[in-house]
Amino acid sequence: MDQQHPGRAASTAPDPTAAGSTTSGATTAQRSAPRDAPADGAGSGGSGADDSISEHSIIGDAATPRAVEPWRRPELSVEARVADLLPRMTLAEKLAQLVGVWVSATDGADGVAPHQHEQTEEPPVWSEAIRSGLGQLTRTFGTTPVDPTTGARMLADAQREIVAASRFGIPAMAHEECLAGFAAWRATVFPVPIAWGASFNPELVETMAAAIGADLRSVGVHQGLAPVLDVVRDSRWGRVEETIGEDPFLVGTIGAAYVRGIEGAGVVATLKHFAGYSASRAGRNLAPVAVGPRELADVILPPFETALRHGGARSVMHSYAEIDGVPVAADEKLLTGLLRDQWGFTGVVVADYFGIAFLQRLHGTAADEGEAAQQALTAGVDVELPTVRCFGEPLAERIRAGLVPESLVDRAVTRVLRQKCELGLLDPDWSPEPPALRGRPPASASSTAAPAVDLDSPANRRVARRLAEESVVLLADRQGVLPLRSPGRVAVLGPLADDVHAMLGCYSFPAHVGVSYPELPVGVEIPTVLDALRTGLDASAILPEPGCAVTGEDRSGIADAVDTARAADLALVVVGDHSGLFGRGTSGEGCDATDLSLPGVQGDLLAAVVDTGVPTVAVVISGRPYALGTVADRLAAVVQAFLPGEEGAAAVVDVLTGRVNPSGRLPVSLPATPHGQPFTYLTPPLGLRSEVSSADPTPLFPFGHGLSYTTYRYSALRVRAIDQQAEAGAGGAAEAQTADGDEAAANARIATDGTVEVSCVVANVGDRDGVEVVQLYLRDPVAQVTRPVRQLAGFVRVPLRAGTEREVRFRLHADRTSFTGRAGHRLVEPGLVEVHVGASSADLRLHGEFVLTGSPRGVGEDRVLDTPVTLGADRPVTDS
């Protein structure tokens, strides 16, 4: 009997445009009739009572007489429906809801998950895999290239078969990756998350996520495996490109916005990787984590808390990490005690791919797969992904042996069924046809009237373009060569100048899967920097020469690049990363770096071009920050873009030529030297440069840094205590005011549960319109534990026309000063708090203070996590 999953290619890549090409669903030969359904009540605890209404229920395409049991009645509460269904289910039917099946998981030459090929054995026959139902379908679009219309049809067919094969007819949830857009062939490739952070624009990220969610839902996908909320602790880690930055407030704010967009489209967002994954020793992927309880509480965990409370995420994925010797997949204190009991999370915890099996294979805390299943289920993992391994027969054996109480299975199944009920998958009128297919002719019809499913719409590309533009960071313009107005002859050098791959993150489909199918087109239009320059400048004056490859030691092309530079008036050198997976790239999952030098000999190329004396602009397109070494202070200008997606090249060139005034800011510090690993900007005083160490950790460009083609002036800082009367508009607020950075004459005083308003005026005193990213930082100079020298507490993008100014008002609750004290509990401590407002963590233009009064106050899960911002109307610049 054929043991393949349905749709697996035999030995060659599938034809993605063929109607019979599959990545999900069973072939006709593999389909089998559903088994005889046992009577209701055959499951554990089932009463068999028939309290239903007899009518016709539409399941799939066929109308069949079926009793509408209470669990199918949409008018009943979700809890009542799940409570009715659960006792009717057998153990096998319950366990089937706790696993996924990864169709075509062994196709392709390269894996897209750690240890994929060694973990993915010959899967069961499709009919057997769905015999008792199925919890999840894994990556039906993102495993092999499939035309979106064909993929949607195949997913619908697979759902019909799942419904028909089991007696309850419950569809599976389909999940997909969506970190840089929907990870499907011909879907929009958006900028990677580190670029979201560089935009400092949560509203735009939410718009992007809503577009991604709409595309997912349109073709029948229910769950997206994003966003990544890991806070950068070491930029050598390959997955820095998947993160939003090195500050927990920035990560949480942007991450919550992404969640709102996805969830608002009706798709379940999955927070990952919970927790500690990014704090591994030496920045190595899937390595032990060196993090103390205070760092975990104050840096690692807050973004997840924010995305749950302010985003409404309904799923969490456990991380591969082990913290202090305890793998997270088996950590009941973290997955149940903190996540559920303290934070009140009621959604579904899913395993990172093979993470449960790793308890045996990698961590060594379980002797076999059954014990691994027991540890994970007990800890609070509800669903095994990507495919059934531990939560199948190994777990069933332990339950039958009395080693695992079935109540733990019931707990997980209840959560899964609750979510399926919320998604409408238990409703009697559920249809396998996703919105994108409704009204279309069937696949066998000859009609071509219905357009193909479009996952790369013009609206998507506009959002991708705007996000790419807002994420480009102008780091330096020392010689005033930017923007390029009449640059003369331009040497366009570097291995990424004419490389589509330069725009892609490792979770974009072309880099994630498409590289395994070189015979197929990329699927979406992705111009290169050279293409965009030829459009934006005089094409006849552009002199291209790569100089070297992204990786390797071949320097033979550098001499040609130097000659080309000498023949030009200006040199643009485009360097950076090729993102990939598990060592197949210079950035991305499993592509960790031993230092932060530019990969290969790109640093040598850059130095050789600078040595010509020709003004040189470095354009770095990368997934992590790189040190520019000894040439940094000799470059005419430096522009940073973080893997900006399909519209990224145009965005970079628009910044270079001045069509776009740059407004991106660094979400990670950029190091001065490649070997001395700087702490992130969240360092306590001992982390700064000092006279007792010869190693200087000061970054070349700090967190929050970014320049503009116009000039902004900050003034009129006010720190005002808000009280009940002030809130009611009756005055009575204590005020302290500074002007132009002078110290305040008096400090605002608030209780440890009070609120202050920090306001200032920002003016555009240059000659062109722009957007300034105003950043609010706090410092607690005296506390019971060491505190960061400064920490981001608020930010806002302020659009300003030339010659105008606006007032910016931050509303800061005392909870925003809280930290984990010596006793291990979060508190607000009385005392002086410094306030700093400016253009980066190191460019602080205004300084003030306020005083927290009263007794220390413990804060819990209801603490204030955000800093609301209000912008005044723009007005002509006033003298001050």
Side-chain angles (χ1 to χ4, degrees), residues 799-826:
L800 284 166
R801 293 177 293 112
T804 65
E805 64 183 23
R806 302 179 76 170
E807 185 180 38
V808 181
R809 297 186 295 275
F810 295 97
R811 183 184 179 88
L812 186 79
H813 193 276
D815 287 358
R816 299 288 291 111
T817 71
S818 67
F819 60 90
T820 302
R822 292 188 183 184
H825 305 297
R826 183 174 290 276

PDB file of all heavy atoms in Angstrom, residues 799-826:
ATOM      1  N   PRO A 799       4.475  63.481  11.587  1.00  0.00           N
ATOM      2  CA  PRO A 799       4.602  64.105  10.261  1.00  0.00           C
ATOM      3  C   PRO A 799       4.638  65.627  10.410  1.00  0.00           C
ATOM      4  O   PRO A 799       3.815  66.215  11.115  1.00  0.00           O
ATOM      5  CB  PRO A 799       3.335  63.653   9.528  1.00  0.00           C
ATOM      6  CG  PRO A 799       2.754  62.542  10.354  1.00  0.00           C
ATOM      7  CD  PRO A 799       3.171  62.815  11.757  1.00  0.00           C
ATOM      8  N   LEU A 800       5.588  66.249   9.746  1.00  0.00           N
ATOM      9  CA  LEU A 800       5.737  67.700   9.847  1.00  0.00           C
ATOM     10  C   LEU A 800       6.069  68.290   8.477  1.00  0.00           C
ATOM     11  O   LEU A 800       7.070  67.905   7.858  1.00  0.00           O
ATOM     12  CB  LEU A 800       6.845  68.060  10.838  1.00  0.00           C
ATOM     13  CG  LEU A 800       6.521  67.926  12.323  1.00  0.00           C
ATOM     14  CD1 LEU A 800       7.796  67.983  13.148  1.00  0.00           C
ATOM     15  CD2 LEU A 800       5.553  69.022  12.757  1.00  0.00           C
ATOM     16  N   ARG A 801       5.237  69.225   8.027  1.00  0.00           N
ATOM     17  CA  ARG A 801       5.582  69.972   6.835  1.00  0.00           C
ATOM     18  C   ARG A 801       6.695  70.962   7.162  1.00  0.00           C
ATOM     19  O   ARG A 801       6.852  71.374   8.308  1.00  0.00           O
ATOM     20  CB  ARG A 801       4.355  70.709   6.302  1.00  0.00           C
ATOM     21  CG  ARG A 801       3.254  69.778   5.777  1.00  0.00           C
ATOM     22  CD  ARG A 801       2.011  70.534   5.321  1.00  0.00           C
ATOM     23  NE  ARG A 801       1.336  71.180   6.442  1.00  0.00           N
ATOM     24  CZ  ARG A 801       1.257  72.476   6.622  1.00  0.00           C
ATOM     25  NH1 ARG A 801       1.822  73.308   5.754  1.00  0.00           N
ATOM     26  NH2 ARG A 801       0.608  72.988   7.658  1.00  0.00           N
ATOM     27  N   ALA A 802       7.468  71.297   6.191  1.00  0.00           N
ATOM     28  CA  ALA A 802       8.543  72.262   6.406  1.00  0.00           C
ATOM     29  C   ALA A 802       7.973  73.549   6.982  1.00  0.00           C
ATOM     30  O   ALA A 802       6.942  74.050   6.525  1.00  0.00           O
ATOM     31  CB  ALA A 802       9.261  72.549   5.093  1.00  0.00           C
ATOM     32  N   GLY A 803       8.633  74.049   8.031  1.00  0.00           N
ATOM     33  CA  GLY A 803       8.197  75.301   8.648  1.00  0.00           C
ATOM     34  C   GLY A 803       7.043  75.167   9.609  1.00  0.00           C
ATOM     35  O   GLY A 803       6.436  76.175   9.988  1.00  0.00           O
ATOM     36  N   THR A 804       6.708  73.930  10.029  1.00  0.00           N
ATOM     37  CA  THR A 804       5.614  73.748  10.988  1.00  0.00           C
ATOM     38  C   THR A 804       6.117  73.018  12.221  1.00  0.00           C
ATOM     39  O   THR A 804       7.191  72.396  12.214  1.00  0.00           O
ATOM     40  CB  THR A 804       4.436  72.966  10.377  1.00  0.00           C
ATOM     41  OG1 THR A 804       4.851  71.630  10.079  1.00  0.00           O
ATOM     42  CG2 THR A 804       3.931  73.641   9.116  1.00  0.00           C
ATOM     43  N   GLU A 805       5.304  73.086  13.272  1.00  0.00           N
ATOM     44  CA  GLU A 805       5.624  72.401  14.514  1.00  0.00           C
ATOM     45  C   GLU A 805       4.363  71.773  15.092  1.00  0.00           C
ATOM     46  O   GLU A 805       3.240  72.152  14.743  1.00  0.00           O
ATOM     47  CB  GLU A 805       6.232  73.377  15.525  1.00  0.00           C
ATOM     48  CG  GLU A 805       5.290  74.481  15.969  1.00  0.00           C
ATOM     49  CD  GLU A 805       5.950  75.483  16.919  1.00  0.00           C
ATOM     50  OE1 GLU A 805       7.196  75.585  16.890  1.00  0.00           O
ATOM     51  OE2 GLU A 805       5.211  76.159  17.661  1.00  0.00           O
ATOM     52  N   ARG A 806       4.550  70.796  15.983  1.00  0.00           N
ATOM     53  CA  ARG A 806       3.420  70.132  16.637  1.00  0.00           C
ATOM     54  C   ARG A 806       3.793  69.817  18.071  1.00  0.00           C
ATOM     55  O   ARG A 806       4.956  69.542  18.391  1.00  0.00           O
ATOM     56  CB  ARG A 806       3.040  68.831  15.914  1.00  0.00           C
ATOM     57  CG  ARG A 806       2.672  69.017  14.469  1.00  0.00           C
ATOM     58  CD  ARG A 806       2.325  67.706  13.780  1.00  0.00           C
ATOM     59  NE  ARG A 806       0.991  67.222  14.159  1.00  0.00           N
ATOM     60  CZ  ARG A 806       0.390  66.207  13.561  1.00  0.00           C
ATOM     61  NH1 ARG A 806       1.017  65.542  12.586  1.00  0.00           N
ATOM     62  NH2 ARG A 806      -0.813  65.825  13.927  1.00  0.00           N
ATOM     63  N   GLU A 807       2.777  69.870  18.923  1.00  0.00           N
ATOM     64  CA  GLU A 807       2.985  69.439  20.301  1.00  0.00           C
ATOM     65  C   GLU A 807       2.773  67.930  20.379  1.00  0.00           C
ATOM     66  O   GLU A 807       1.857  67.378  19.776  1.00  0.00           O
ATOM     67  CB  GLU A 807       2.028  70.150  21.255  1.00  0.00           C
ATOM     68  CG  GLU A 807       2.294  69.822  22.717  1.00  0.00           C
ATOM     69  CD  GLU A 807       1.341  70.522  23.666  1.00  0.00           C
ATOM     70  OE1 GLU A 807       0.141  70.643  23.325  1.00  0.00           O
ATOM     71  OE2 GLU A 807       1.792  70.924  24.754  1.00  0.00           O
ATOM     72  N   VAL A 808       3.650  67.271  21.140  1.00  0.00           N
ATOM     73  CA  VAL A 808       3.567  65.830  21.367  1.00  0.00           C
ATOM     74  C   VAL A 808       3.334  65.607  22.855  1.00  0.00           C
ATOM     75  O   VAL A 808       4.087  66.138  23.691  1.00  0.00           O
ATOM     76  CB  VAL A 808       4.864  65.121  20.932  1.00  0.00           C
ATOM     77  CG1 VAL A 808       4.765  63.614  21.156  1.00  0.00           C
ATOM     78  CG2 VAL A 808       5.188  65.439  19.481  1.00  0.00           C
ATOM     79  N   ARG A 809       2.310  64.830  23.190  1.00  0.00           N
ATOM     80  CA  ARG A 809       1.977  64.596  24.599  1.00  0.00           C
ATOM     81  C   ARG A 809       1.949  63.095  24.891  1.00  0.00           C
ATOM     82  O   ARG A 809       1.133  62.355  24.324  1.00  0.00           O
ATOM     83  CB  ARG A 809       0.630  65.222  24.945  1.00  0.00           C
ATOM     84  CG  ARG A 809       0.602  66.738  24.806  1.00  0.00           C
ATOM     85  CD  ARG A 809      -0.715  67.330  25.294  1.00  0.00           C
ATOM     86  NE  ARG A 809      -1.840  66.921  24.473  1.00  0.00           N
ATOM     87  CZ  ARG A 809      -2.211  67.525  23.347  1.00  0.00           C
ATOM     88  NH1 ARG A 809      -1.519  68.559  22.903  1.00  0.00           N
ATOM     89  NH2 ARG A 809      -3.259  67.098  22.652  1.00  0.00           N
ATOM     90  N   PHE A 810       2.842  62.637  25.753  1.00  0.00           N
ATOM     91  CA  PHE A 810       2.882  61.248  26.210  1.00  0.00           C
ATOM     92  C   PHE A 810       2.159  61.152  27.558  1.00  0.00           C
ATOM     93  O   PHE A 810       2.453  61.933  28.477  1.00  0.00           O
ATOM     94  CB  PHE A 810       4.319  60.771  26.406  1.00  0.00           C
ATOM     95  CG  PHE A 810       5.137  60.702  25.146  1.00  0.00           C
ATOM     96  CD1 PHE A 810       5.985  61.747  24.801  1.00  0.00           C
ATOM     97  CD2 PHE A 810       5.078  59.588  24.323  1.00  0.00           C
ATOM     98  CE1 PHE A 810       6.758  61.691  23.657  1.00  0.00           C
ATOM     99  CE2 PHE A 810       5.843  59.520  23.172  1.00  0.00           C
ATOM    100  CZ  PHE A 810       6.683  60.578  22.837  1.00  0.00           C
ATOM    101  N   ARG A 811       1.282  60.191  27.671  1.00  0.00           N
ATOM    102  CA  ARG A 811       0.586  59.942  28.934  1.00  0.00           C
ATOM    103  C   ARG A 811       1.249  58.735  29.583  1.00  0.00           C
ATOM    104  O   ARG A 811       1.124  57.592  29.119  1.00  0.00           O
ATOM    105  CB  ARG A 811      -0.895  59.689  28.684  1.00  0.00           C
ATOM    106  CG  ARG A 811      -1.720  59.501  29.955  1.00  0.00           C
ATOM    107  CD  ARG A 811      -3.164  59.164  29.606  1.00  0.00           C
ATOM    108  NE  ARG A 811      -3.961  58.965  30.796  1.00  0.00           N
ATOM    109  CZ  ARG A 811      -4.591  59.927  31.455  1.00  0.00           C
ATOM    110  NH1 ARG A 811      -4.511  61.173  31.004  1.00  0.00           N
ATOM    111  NH2 ARG A 811      -5.311  59.662  32.526  1.00  0.00           N
ATOM    112  N   LEU A 812       1.964  58.945  30.664  1.00  0.00           N
ATOM    113  CA  LEU A 812       2.813  57.928  31.271  1.00  0.00           C
ATOM    114  C   LEU A 812       2.304  57.559  32.661  1.00  0.00           C
ATOM    115  O   LEU A 812       2.348  58.371  33.585  1.00  0.00           O
ATOM    116  CB  LEU A 812       4.259  58.444  31.363  1.00  0.00           C
ATOM    117  CG  LEU A 812       5.287  57.439  31.845  1.00  0.00           C
ATOM    118  CD1 LEU A 812       5.681  56.496  30.717  1.00  0.00           C
ATOM    119  CD2 LEU A 812       6.513  58.162  32.389  1.00  0.00           C
ATOM    120  N   HIS A 813       1.805  56.342  32.799  1.00  0.00           N
ATOM    121  CA  HIS A 813       1.367  55.847  34.103  1.00  0.00           C
ATOM    122  C   HIS A 813       2.579  55.376  34.898  1.00  0.00           C
ATOM    123  O   HIS A 813       3.568  54.911  34.331  1.00  0.00           O
ATOM    124  CB  HIS A 813       0.366  54.706  33.920  1.00  0.00           C
ATOM    125  CG  HIS A 813      -0.364  54.341  35.173  1.00  0.00           C
ATOM    126  ND1 HIS A 813       0.157  53.475  36.110  1.00  0.00           N
ATOM    127  CD2 HIS A 813      -1.583  54.716  35.637  1.00  0.00           C
ATOM    128  CE1 HIS A 813      -0.702  53.332  37.115  1.00  0.00           C
ATOM    129  NE2 HIS A 813      -1.770  54.085  36.849  1.00  0.00           N
ATOM    130  N   ALA A 814       2.483  55.469  36.216  1.00  0.00           N
ATOM    131  CA  ALA A 814       3.585  55.033  37.067  1.00  0.00           C
ATOM    132  C   ALA A 814       3.944  53.574  36.853  1.00  0.00           C
ATOM    133  O   ALA A 814       5.096  53.166  37.067  1.00  0.00           O
ATOM    134  CB  ALA A 814       3.233  55.279  38.535  1.00  0.00           C
ATOM    135  N   ASP A 815       2.974  52.764  36.424  1.00  0.00           N
ATOM    136  CA  ASP A 815       3.269  51.353  36.147  1.00  0.00           C
ATOM    137  C   ASP A 815       4.376  51.188  35.126  1.00  0.00           C
ATOM    138  O   ASP A 815       5.075  50.162  35.110  1.00  0.00           O
ATOM    139  CB  ASP A 815       2.022  50.645  35.617  1.00  0.00           C
ATOM    140  CG  ASP A 815       0.978  50.390  36.688  1.00  0.00           C
ATOM    141  OD1 ASP A 815       1.239  50.725  37.861  1.00  0.00           O
ATOM    142  OD2 ASP A 815      -0.102  49.869  36.350  1.00  0.00           O
ATOM    143  N   ARG A 816       4.541  52.188  34.263  1.00  0.00           N
ATOM    144  CA  ARG A 816       5.563  52.078  33.215  1.00  0.00           C
ATOM    145  C   ARG A 816       6.971  52.196  33.768  1.00  0.00           C
ATOM    146  O   ARG A 816       7.942  51.972  33.040  1.00  0.00           O
ATOM    147  CB  ARG A 816       5.319  53.162  32.151  1.00  0.00           C
ATOM    148  CG  ARG A 816       3.979  53.053  31.445  1.00  0.00           C
ATOM    149  CD  ARG A 816       3.919  51.857  30.474  1.00  0.00           C
ATOM    150  NE  ARG A 816       4.786  52.105  29.346  1.00  0.00           N
ATOM    151  CZ  ARG A 816       5.903  51.448  29.094  1.00  0.00           C
ATOM    152  NH1 ARG A 816       6.318  50.481  29.886  1.00  0.00           N
ATOM    153  NH2 ARG A 816       6.623  51.751  28.031  1.00  0.00           N
ATOM    154  N   THR A 817       7.099  52.540  35.034  1.00  0.00           N
ATOM    155  CA  THR A 817       8.413  52.570  35.678  1.00  0.00           C
ATOM    156  C   THR A 817       8.696  51.293  36.450  1.00  0.00           C
ATOM    157  O   THR A 817       9.750  51.157  37.067  1.00  0.00           O
ATOM    158  CB  THR A 817       8.528  53.760  36.655  1.00  0.00           C
ATOM    159  OG1 THR A 817       7.706  53.513  37.807  1.00  0.00           O
ATOM    160  CG2 THR A 817       8.110  55.061  35.992  1.00  0.00           C
ATOM    161  N   SER A 818       7.767  50.339  36.442  1.00  0.00           N
ATOM    162  CA  SER A 818       7.891  49.162  37.299  1.00  0.00           C
ATOM    163  C   SER A 818       9.010  48.237  36.843  1.00  0.00           C
ATOM    164  O   SER A 818       9.401  48.224  35.669  1.00  0.00           O
ATOM    165  CB  SER A 818       6.565  48.403  37.345  1.00  0.00           C
ATOM    166  OG  SER A 818       6.254  47.846  36.088  1.00  0.00           O
ATOM    167  N   PHE A 819       9.506  47.453  37.764  1.00  0.00           N
ATOM    168  CA  PHE A 819      10.564  46.484  37.487  1.00  0.00           C
ATOM    169  C   PHE A 819      10.475  45.364  38.519  1.00  0.00           C
ATOM    170  O   PHE A 819       9.727  45.464  39.510  1.00  0.00           O
ATOM    171  CB  PHE A 819      11.943  47.151  37.528  1.00  0.00           C
ATOM    172  CG  PHE A 819      12.276  47.780  38.851  1.00  0.00           C
ATOM    173  CD1 PHE A 819      12.929  47.056  39.858  1.00  0.00           C
ATOM    174  CD2 PHE A 819      11.939  49.103  39.111  1.00  0.00           C
ATOM    175  CE1 PHE A 819      13.225  47.641  41.075  1.00  0.00           C
ATOM    176  CE2 PHE A 819      12.228  49.692  40.327  1.00  0.00           C
ATOM    177  CZ  PHE A 819      12.881  48.965  41.317  1.00  0.00           C
ATOM    178  N   THR A 820      11.221  44.316  38.308  1.00  0.00           N
ATOM    179  CA  THR A 820      11.239  43.186  39.231  1.00  0.00           C
ATOM    180  C   THR A 820      12.268  43.446  40.317  1.00  0.00           C
ATOM    181  O   THR A 820      13.463  43.587  40.035  1.00  0.00           O
ATOM    182  CB  THR A 820      11.559  41.879  38.493  1.00  0.00           C
ATOM    183  OG1 THR A 820      10.579  41.681  37.467  1.00  0.00           O
ATOM    184  CG2 THR A 820      11.530  40.696  39.441  1.00  0.00           C
ATOM    185  N   GLY A 821      11.809  43.519  41.537  1.00  0.00           N
ATOM    186  CA  GLY A 821      12.684  43.846  42.655  1.00  0.00           C
ATOM    187  C   GLY A 821      13.429  42.652  43.199  1.00  0.00           C
ATOM    188  O   GLY A 821      13.395  41.542  42.653  1.00  0.00           O
ATOM    189  N   ARG A 822      14.093  42.866  44.334  1.00  0.00           N
ATOM    190  CA  ARG A 822      14.932  41.821  44.909  1.00  0.00           C
ATOM    191  C   ARG A 822      14.133  40.597  45.340  1.00  0.00           C
ATOM    192  O   ARG A 822      14.634  39.476  45.310  1.00  0.00           O
ATOM    193  CB  ARG A 822      15.699  42.375  46.113  1.00  0.00           C
ATOM    194  CG  ARG A 822      16.747  43.409  45.755  1.00  0.00           C
ATOM    195  CD  ARG A 822      17.598  43.785  46.943  1.00  0.00           C
ATOM    196  NE  ARG A 822      18.567  44.827  46.609  1.00  0.00           N
ATOM    197  CZ  ARG A 822      19.490  45.280  47.445  1.00  0.00           C
ATOM    198  NH1 ARG A 822      19.552  44.787  48.675  1.00  0.00           N
ATOM    199  NH2 ARG A 822      20.323  46.214  47.061  1.00  0.00           N
ATOM    200  N   ALA A 823      12.900  40.809  45.737  1.00  0.00           N
ATOM    201  CA  ALA A 823      12.071  39.691  46.188  1.00  0.00           C
ATOM    202  C   ALA A 823      11.482  38.900  45.025  1.00  0.00           C
ATOM    203  O   ALA A 823      10.805  37.894  45.247  1.00  0.00           O
ATOM    204  CB  ALA A 823      10.948  40.207  47.087  1.00  0.00           C
ATOM    205  N   GLY A 824      11.732  39.338  43.798  1.00  0.00           N
ATOM    206  CA  GLY A 824      11.236  38.612  42.642  1.00  0.00           C
ATOM    207  C   GLY A 824       9.857  39.035  42.191  1.00  0.00           C
ATOM    208  O   GLY A 824       9.268  38.385  41.316  1.00  0.00           O
ATOM    209  N   HIS A 825       9.323  40.116  42.750  1.00  0.00           N
ATOM    210  CA  HIS A 825       8.000  40.599  42.374  1.00  0.00           C
ATOM    211  C   HIS A 825       8.120  41.969  41.718  1.00  0.00           C
ATOM    212  O   HIS A 825       8.980  42.784  42.067  1.00  0.00           O
ATOM    213  CB  HIS A 825       7.092  40.696  43.606  1.00  0.00           C
ATOM    214  CG  HIS A 825       6.989  39.418  44.379  1.00  0.00           C
ATOM    215  ND1 HIS A 825       6.460  38.270  43.851  1.00  0.00           N
ATOM    216  CD2 HIS A 825       7.378  39.117  45.646  1.00  0.00           C
ATOM    217  CE1 HIS A 825       6.513  37.310  44.751  1.00  0.00           C
ATOM    218  NE2 HIS A 825       7.071  37.791  45.848  1.00  0.00           N
ATOM    219  N   ARG A 826       7.208  42.239  40.788  1.00  0.00           N
ATOM    220  CA  ARG A 826       7.222  43.528  40.092  1.00  0.00           C
ATOM    221  C   ARG A 826       6.644  44.601  40.993  1.00  0.00           C
ATOM    222  O   ARG A 826       5.624  44.398  41.654  1.00  0.00           O
ATOM    223  CB  ARG A 826       6.426  43.434  38.793  1.00  0.00           C
ATOM    224  CG  ARG A 826       6.451  44.715  37.961  1.00  0.00           C
ATOM    225  CD  ARG A 826       5.776  44.507  36.630  1.00  0.00           C
ATOM    226  NE  ARG A 826       6.550  43.646  35.763  1.00  0.00           N
ATOM    227  CZ  ARG A 826       7.562  44.055  34.991  1.00  0.00           C
ATOM    228  NH1 ARG A 826       7.918  45.345  35.005  1.00  0.00           N
ATOM    229  NH2 ARG A 826       8.206  43.213  34.229  1.00  0.00           N
TER     230      ARG A 826
END
